[in-house]
Amino acid sequence: MTDFSELASRISGPVLTPADEGFGAEVAAHNLAIVHLPDVAVGAADVVDVVEAVRFGRKHGLPIRVQTTGHGALYPIRGGLLVTTKRLDGVVVDRAARTATFGGGVRWGAIIAAAAEHGLAPNAGASPTVGAIGYLLGGGLGPLNRSHGISSDYLRSLTVVTGTGELVEASAESNPELFWALRGGKGGLGIVVEATVDLIELATLYGGSLFFEIEDAPAVLGGWLDWTTTARDDISTSLAIIRFPDLDVVPPPMRGRHLISVRFAYPGPTPEGADLAAPLRALAPVHLDALSELPASEIARVHNDPTSPGMSWVRGMAVSALDRGFVAAFLGAVGAHTAVPFVAVELRHIGGAVRTDVVEGSAVGARDTEFTLTFVGVPDPALFETVLPGAVAEVRGMLAPWLSESVPINWIAEPWIPEQFAAAWSTPTRARLTQVRAAYDPDHVFPYGPARHGV
C-alpha cells in the first residue's frame, strides 16, 4: 500500500484517503449517482499542489484523474489519485484586452458575473455551475452557439501540468500542438490550472423560453423545425419536452405539468429580438411566456438547468437534417402518450458560427452537427442500469434514419468504446490527438479513452 505521508508533506491543500474525515465531500460529484473511491484525493490549493500531485502519482504508478464540479462524472473512480481543482477559483477580467483569466476550478457563473461588470460576457455553457475548463476541453455548445460558435474557439492560452509533472503554457505561439489538442480534444492531455479566454461585448440579450401545452407538440415541433431551416445564424434555439415534477420547488405554472418548451437566445436589441421570436410565439397558444430582455449576467435563464447536486442520468447523440417524418417518429417515441422514463428530452439547433474553425485549427469534432439530442432520465438509480439504457436504445432505433454518425464529445456520456470515439472525431484528428497525448503524457498517467479502460 502506498504511503501518502510524503505526498501530504508537499501539498498545502488537503490530502485525504477514504478513512479520513471529509474525504466523501472532497470527491463528491455534482451527479450524486456517481460515488468516487480513489486511493487518495488531493485538494489542490495552488498550482504547486497540482505539480506535486502529478509527480507523486507518476512516481508511484498511480492513475491520475481530475475533478472540478463532477458535472462530467461518467463512471465511479476506483483507485488511483484524484486531484480536485475547485480551490483554484480566481477570476481576473482585463477590460482593455477583453479577456478573462481564471483558475482551473472556476465555474462559468463566476466568469459570467465578473465579465458582466464590464459589459462583457464569455461564450459560456448553458449552466452557471458547470466547470469552465472541463466544458472548454470538449469544445462547448452554449446558448449562443449559432451566433458565436464553439466556446473553445475563444481560448487564448492555457497553463497545463503535463503527464511528466511539467508546468507548460499552451497557446498559438507556445506548444501549439498541445493548444490545438486542448481546444476540443477533451481528456488525457494534462491538468489545466489556468486559462484565458476572449470575451464578447454583450450587456444584454433577448432570450428565455416559451412554454406550450404538450397537446400542441405536433404543431410546435413541426413549426419549430420548419423555422430552423431559414433561421438567422445569430439566433440560437432549442426545443425540450419536459415532465415537471409535482414539487414545491417548481414554480406553480409548471408544477406537475407536461410541457413543450422553445428556448431562444438573440444577442441583439430587444425590439428586433421580439420580432424575430414572433413566429415561434405564434406556433400555438402560449402557456407561459418567459422570453424577454435579459442582462448578460442572467444568460443561464435561457435553459434554466438545475444548479443543485442531485441524482442524474444523461445520454446524448446528434441528428442530421430533419423532416416531418422525424416529427411523427420523435413524438411517437417521447411525446404525450408515451410512458418513457425521461424527465426531459432536448433538441438543440446547431450550425451558424459553429461550422467555422479557428484560423490555426482545433481538435473540435462534429462541427457539421445539425442538431444535438439529449435525454435526461428519471433520477431513480434503480432505473440507471437497464431501464433507461433500454429506453434510449428503443428510441435510437425509432430515430435511426435521422441519426448522425458524428457526435460532439461533450454529448457522449460514456466515451469508453472505440465506436464512440469514432463518432467524436475524424480519423485524422483522432490520430493527431493520440500523438499529442503520447508527447505530453508518455507514461499514460491520465487515463482516457477505450485503451485506458480495457475495452
Side-chain angles (χ1 to χ4, degrees):
M1 180 176 291
T2 305
D3 182 0
F4 297 116
S5 58
E6 175 192 353
L7 176 64
S9 69
R10 299 179 181 178
I11 302 294
S12 56
V15 176
L16 304 168
T17 67
D20 293 326
E21 183 179 354
F23 174 85
E26 188 65 34
V27 304
H30 184 87
N31 178 5
L32 299 182
I34 303 296
V35 179
H36 297 316
L37 193 63
D39 293 324
V40 63
V42 174
D46 53 32
V47 173
V48 173
D49 282 358
V50 178
V51 171
E52 292 291 349
V54 171
R55 290 177 178 175
F56 180 91
R58 183 184 186 222
K59 175 182 175 181
H60 292 275
L62 296 171
I64 302 168
R65 299 173 176 87
V66 60
Q67 176 171 281
T68 294
T69 67
H71 278 81
L74 306 176
Y75 60 93
I77 293 170
R78 294 290 181 264
L81 188 155
L82 176 64
V83 178
T84 60
T85 59
K86 57 191 174 184
R87 294 170 182 82
L88 307 180
D89 58 358
V91 181
V92 176
V93 172
D94 184 329
R95 180 64 180 87
R98 292 198 313 177
T99 62
T101 298
F102 53 93
V106 170
R107 300 171 186 243
W108 274 124
I111 305 172
I112 292 169
E117 295 179 8
H118 304 277
L120 301 171
N123 186 12
S127 171
T129 61
V130 166
I133 294 299
Y135 170 92
L136 288 167
L137 294 182
L141 294 167
L144 300 177
N145 76 86
R146 285 176 54 82
S147 60
H148 287 82
I150 297 283
S151 298
S152 64
D153 290 349
Y154 289 73
L155 276 165
R156 178 174 290 189
S157 66
L158 306 99
T159 305
V160 186
V161 180
T162 70
T164 59
E166 295 179 84
L167 187 67
V168 303
E169 295 296 318
S171 67
E173 297 77 30
S174 179
N175 293 293
E177 275 295 281
L178 180 59
F179 185 54
W180 170 86
L182 290 166
R183 297 165 105 183
K186 199 60 176 182
L189 296 161
I191 298 179
V192 177
V193 294
E194 186 176 84
T196 297
V197 293
D198 288 319
L199 301 173
I200 58 181
E201 295 278 356
L202 187 68
T204 65
L205 69 150
Y206 188 76
S209 300
L210 299 170
F211 293 90
F212 304 88
E213 300 288 352
I214 192 63
E215 289 75 19
D216 291 319
V220 174
L221 175 57
W224 174 70
L225 288 177
D226 289 344
W227 179 87
T228 62
T229 61
T230 58
R232 287 172 37 165
D233 286 350
D234 55 357
I235 306 172
S236 302
T237 60
S238 66
L239 178 143
I241 294 177
I242 309 172
R243 300 172 188 260
F244 289 98
D246 188 8
L247 299 174
D248 290 342
V249 295
V250 180
M254 296 174 284
R255 189 178 303 158
R257 304 296 298 271
H258 191 185
L259 301 172
I260 185 167
S261 171
V262 175
R263 286 93 174 253
F264 184 97
Y266 171 64
T270 293
E272 186 175 7
D275 288 343
L276 293 169
L280 299 175
R281 280 193 168 97
L283 292 176
V286 177
H287 171 73
L288 177 65
D289 191 328
L291 191 54
S292 65
E293 179 175 294
L294 298 175
S297 60
E298 297 183 19
I299 193 171
R301 287 170 55 186
V302 173
H303 286 259
N304 272 319
D305 286 352
T307 56
S308 299
M311 295 279 183
S312 65
W313 188 97
V314 180
R315 292 294 182 271
M317 57 193 75
V319 289
S320 56
L322 304 181
D323 53 29
R324 287 288 172 165
F326 174 83
V327 174
F330 183 76
L331 293 179
V334 299
H337 304 294
T338 57
V340 291
F342 306 126
V343 292
V345 180
E346 185 206 48
L347 278 164
R348 190 175 300 191
H349 188 208
I350 312 300
V354 169
R355 302 199 187 286
T356 304
D357 201 353
V358 287
V359 174
E360 60 272 21
S362 71
V364 171
R367 282 186 184 268
D368 60 347
T369 298
E370 297 281 348
F371 296 85
T372 58
L373 177 56
T374 305
F375 299 87
V376 181
V378 172
D380 181 355
L383 306 179
F384 290 180
E385 291 295 324
T386 58
V387 175
L388 285 165
V392 166
E394 184 176 350
V395 173
R396 181 185 288 273
M398 297 173 71
L399 303 181
W402 299 276
L403 294 183
S404 173
E405 293 184 359
S406 60
V407 184
I409 186 63
N410 281 351
W411 256 257
I412 298 177
E414 294 184 11
W416 311 124
I417 61 175
E419 291 79 6
Q420 288 174 310
F421 263 53
W425 297 289
S426 68
T427 299
T429 297
R430 289 200 311 278
R432 189 173 171 186
L433 281 170
T434 298
Q435 293 176 345
V436 179
R437 290 188 180 109
Y440 288 91
D441 182 20
D443 299 318
H444 307 308
V445 300
F446 300 119
Y448 190 70
R452 307 292 181 263
H453 293 264
V455 294

